[in-house]
Amino acid sequence: MAEVPQGYQNVPEEDQKKAKVFFDYGTSAAATGNYEYAIEMYLQGLMLDPDATDAHQRLRDISLKRKASGGKDLGFMEKMKLGKGKEDRESMVNFIKLLSYDPGNTDRMISILQTALRAGFYDTVMWLGPILQKANADDKKPDFNKFVTLKDAYKGLKQWKLATDACTYALRLRPDDMEMQTEMKNLGAQHTMDSGNYGSGGSFRDSVKDMAGQAKLMAGDKDIRNVDVMAALIADAEAEYAREPNEPGKIMKLVETLVKSESPDYENRAIEVLDEAYQRTKQFRFRHNIGKIKMAQMSRMERSLRTNLQANPADPTVRAQYAQYLQEKTQEELTELQLWVENYPTETGYRMEVAKRMFDLRMYGESIPIFQQARNDPKYRIDAGIFLGRAFLAAEFLEEAIDTLKAIIDDYQVKGDNRSKEMNYWYGRALEQKGDIQAAIKAFSQVAMMEFNYRDVQGRIKKLRAS
């Protein structure tokens, strides 16, 4: 955790306890479907404890449920009554009410972000930032200035990595903005120099509450390779686990400590602990973590074989060994991921990974319907759409490939990033395979103007123009 920035407003524990009463009332009301009353209760609580990020998230969940059930935005007169608060705290809560009745409104998110920053409620800024960034990025017409505002907020809190991410989104919209390019370089340099990073976990509130414990937590989170220190951490975790072997928290602490070593022996011990817990409880989360460890082990082996291949590129035995292992690894991952999908059917990310493994294994027909499902999730809409177009192309459904890729290109607002290059490249490949030469040249030319050395685009343009 980074040092708490100047201006942070810590809410007294007494006020936190008072606010919790209102939050509990709100939770009970939401459970009965009385969303408006639930929102009012949460707003009352947030007046007392404006930086309660768990409450912010629960209120947002309630707002989204209300919206999904047909809930309308506040009327004009109701909005006018809110007005501007006497202080930033009141203004922030008023903006939160407006957002609660229209949860996708990024203008209201910006207002909350700015007032929270002025008021010193920095955990609220950190909670809302990723929501705002994703909502703006997913908008059909992303707003450059909103990314800049978010970048500036993170910069003010010395969250250099997050500020860099927001700056990246802004640059995608205006890639020729020299001022933003310079800002990106400065932020990246600052992030390199400053190891303090909010994104590593915790909150400003936790830092204020337990500054004495930070050194120990940081030591536990570092990429530790010292054998003696690691052995001591594992011994402590084993002792805690031995005292309470059925306590999930102790199980996972031991597993995480063992896995951090990246030692096969310790990882196998972690698998043993997880398997015992899974056999006893039948809770899939334990089996899930076994799969994560095994997949990490396979990835390490793949990297090792790839390094060997790079050192011996002309050796047919080394090349064949790598190709065979890559095939086996992909098949093993597919089997594991299918198990995850079976147990977490609502996790689109796992479905997406299943479809990608199928694609790599040339199971194009099987991958197509899964990519089609995945693109219904806004988070995976673009990537799933590109893979879907490629799968149609590989399965020789040319018209479907062309239409799919053209629709993504027309819908995608950002130009010049890796996604736009990829979708235009494969669109050109599909047109080329269909025999639409001029259209294919135009698509490849779009890619060449973004990145002249992208894949084999130069050669394809020359070959098509000569035909």
Side-chain angles (χ1 to χ4, degrees):
M1 165 62 70
E3 180 181 349
V4 177
Q6 185 176 2
Y8 174 70
Q9 183 68 40
N10 192 35
V11 178
E13 288 192 15
E14 183 179 350
D15 287 348
Q16 294 179 37
K17 291 177 182 178
K18 291 178 182 177
K20 186 178 182 302
V21 176
F22 287 101
F23 298 149
D24 290 342
Y25 283 144
T27 300
S28 298
T32 66
N34 193 348
Y35 298 129
E36 283 77 12
Y37 182 73
I39 290 171
E40 287 303 317
M41 288 296 97
Y42 268 90
L43 293 172
Q44 291 291 325
L46 288 170
M47 277 298 295
L48 292 165
D49 186 4
D51 220 14
T53 54
D54 287 345
H56 279 298
Q57 184 59 52
R58 290 195 297 272
L59 174 57
R60 181 159 182 80
D61 292 341
I62 291 168
S63 301
L64 292 169
K65 288 178 182 177
R66 177 186 174 277
K67 180 80 172 179
S69 66
K72 304 297 183 183
D73 193 4
L74 287 173
F76 178 77
M77 293 305 297
E78 292 174 290
K79 294 176 185 177
M80 290 296 293
K81 288 177 184 177
L82 286 175
K84 180 174 173 59
K86 296 179 181 178
E87 58 178 22
D88 285 326
R89 177 190 298 232
E90 185 179 348
S91 294
M92 186 183 94
V93 174
N94 285 346
F95 288 130
I96 290 170
K97 181 171 183 176
L98 290 171
L99 182 65
S100 297
Y101 283 84
D102 187 11
N105 192 313
T106 53
D107 289 331
R108 293 170 184 175
M109 293 181 195
I110 285 287
S111 297
I112 296 169
L113 186 89
Q114 291 174 326
T115 51
L117 191 63
R118 285 198 304 268
F121 302 128
Y122 298 155
D123 281 328
T124 297
V125 174
M126 300 302 295
W127 167 78
L128 183 59
I131 297 172
L132 169 61
Q133 181 167 286
K134 185 177 187 305
N136 192 34
D138 288 346
D139 196 293
K140 287 188 176 181
K141 294 184 178 180
D143 189 327
F144 171 86
N145 291 320
K146 286 174 182 171
F147 287 132
V148 173
T149 298
L150 182 57
K151 179 265 295 180
D152 289 340
Y154 283 140
K155 186 177 176 181
L157 298 182
K158 299 182 180 180
Q159 305 305 313
W160 311 115
K161 173 64 169 63
L162 297 174
T164 303
D165 291 344
C167 191
T168 300
Y169 276 94
L171 265 175
R172 287 178 183 174
L173 298 178
R174 297 186 186 176
D176 297 326
D177 190 317
M178 298 298 293
E179 184 178 346
M180 200 57 56
Q181 290 176 11
T182 301
E183 178 79 328
M184 170 75 86
K185 292 177 182 177
N186 292 338
L187 289 170
Q190 190 65 55
H191 172 57
T192 300
M193 290 187 293
D194 188 348
S195 61
N197 190 339
Y198 184 94
S200 62
S203 67
F204 294 116
R205 176 172 289 182
D206 291 339
S207 283
V208 171
K209 185 177 180 180
D210 188 22
M211 294 296 283
Q214 291 304 305
K216 182 178 179 181
L217 289 173
M218 289 173 67
D221 285 339
K222 286 180 180 176
D223 185 22
I224 300 170
R225 292 295 180 268
N226 182 282
V227 176
D228 291 337
V229 175
M230 177 57 73
L233 289 173
I234 290 173
D236 288 344
E238 285 277 17
E240 290 186 29
Y241 170 70
R243 286 192 292 271
E244 298 179 84
N246 297 332
E247 211 281 304
K250 298 295 189 294
I251 294 171
M252 293 313 301
K253 181 178 179 180
L254 173 58
V255 168
E256 289 166 6
T257 307
L258 290 164
V259 169
K260 192 176 293 183
S261 70
E262 292 192 359
S263 160
D265 289 340
Y266 283 141
E267 286 174 332
N268 290 337
R269 168 59 179 155
I271 290 172
E272 178 184 306
V273 171
L274 287 166
D275 187 58
E276 190 281 328
Y278 176 60
Q279 296 301 331
R280 175 171 49 80
T281 66
K282 300 303 178 185
Q283 293 182 19
F284 187 75
R285 59 173 172 155
F286 297 119
R287 173 61 185 79
H288 186 207
N289 278 280
I290 292 175
K292 287 181 178 180
I293 295 171
K294 290 183 176 180
M295 287 176 69
Q297 290 175 330
M298 288 189 291
S299 293
R300 283 206 308 273
M301 175 60 76
E302 186 271 331
R303 288 195 300 271
S304 176
L305 292 173
R306 181 167 15 108
T307 300
N308 189 29
L309 175 61
Q310 290 168 347
N312 302 279
D315 190 327
T317 303
V318 173
R319 183 171 296 279
Q321 182 184 37
Y322 177 71
Q324 181 181 348
Y325 181 78
L326 197 60
Q327 177 84 5
E328 293 173 356
K329 171 180 176 287
T330 306
Q331 184 61 63
E332 287 288 333
E333 288 177 339
L334 173 59
T335 302
E336 181 66 30
L337 288 161
Q338 286 174 323
L339 184 62
W340 295 6
V341 168
E342 182 182 336
N343 285 273
Y344 300 119
T346 62
E347 288 289 340
T348 307
Y350 293 157
R351 291 184 179 276
M352 183 72 177
E353 292 302 318
V354 163
K356 286 162 69 175
R357 298 311 189 281
M358 288 179 169
F359 183 89
D360 289 341
L361 292 168
R362 301 185 180 184
M363 300 166 62
Y364 305 121
E366 293 91 332
S367 73
I368 285 172
I370 305 177
F371 283 131
Q372 288 174 324
Q373 292 174 6
R375 69 174 174 173
N376 292 326
D377 186 328
K379 184 177 180 181
Y380 299 98
R381 178 169 53 90
I382 300 300
D383 291 335
I386 294 171
F387 267 107
L388 178 60
R390 292 183 60 189
F392 275 134
L393 177 60
E396 298 184 349
F397 286 86
L398 293 182
E399 294 295 339
E400 290 77 4
I402 291 168
D403 289 347
T404 299
L405 291 163
K406 181 65 166 61
I408 301 169
I409 292 168
D410 291 343
D411 189 48
Y412 195 57
Q413 298 295 316
V414 183
K415 303 300 179 185
D417 68 345
N418 287 333
R419 282 172 163 177
S420 61
K421 295 171 198 170
E422 188 174 12
M423 62 181 70
N424 278 281
Y425 175 80
W426 289 106
Y427 180 53
R429 290 284 297 269
L431 291 167
E432 180 183 12
Q433 193 163 327
K434 183 185 177 185
D436 193 342
I437 304 303
Q438 292 306 312
I441 292 173
K442 185 176 180 181
F444 288 135
S445 179
Q446 288 291 320
V447 180
M449 287 188 288
M450 298 178 200
E451 184 182 336
F452 193 56
N453 292 324
Y454 188 82
R455 293 181 183 262
D456 58 352
V457 70
Q458 293 181 43
R460 288 186 178 277
I461 292 172
K462 291 177 181 179
K463 180 180 177 182
L464 290 172
R465 284 176 176 167
S467 62

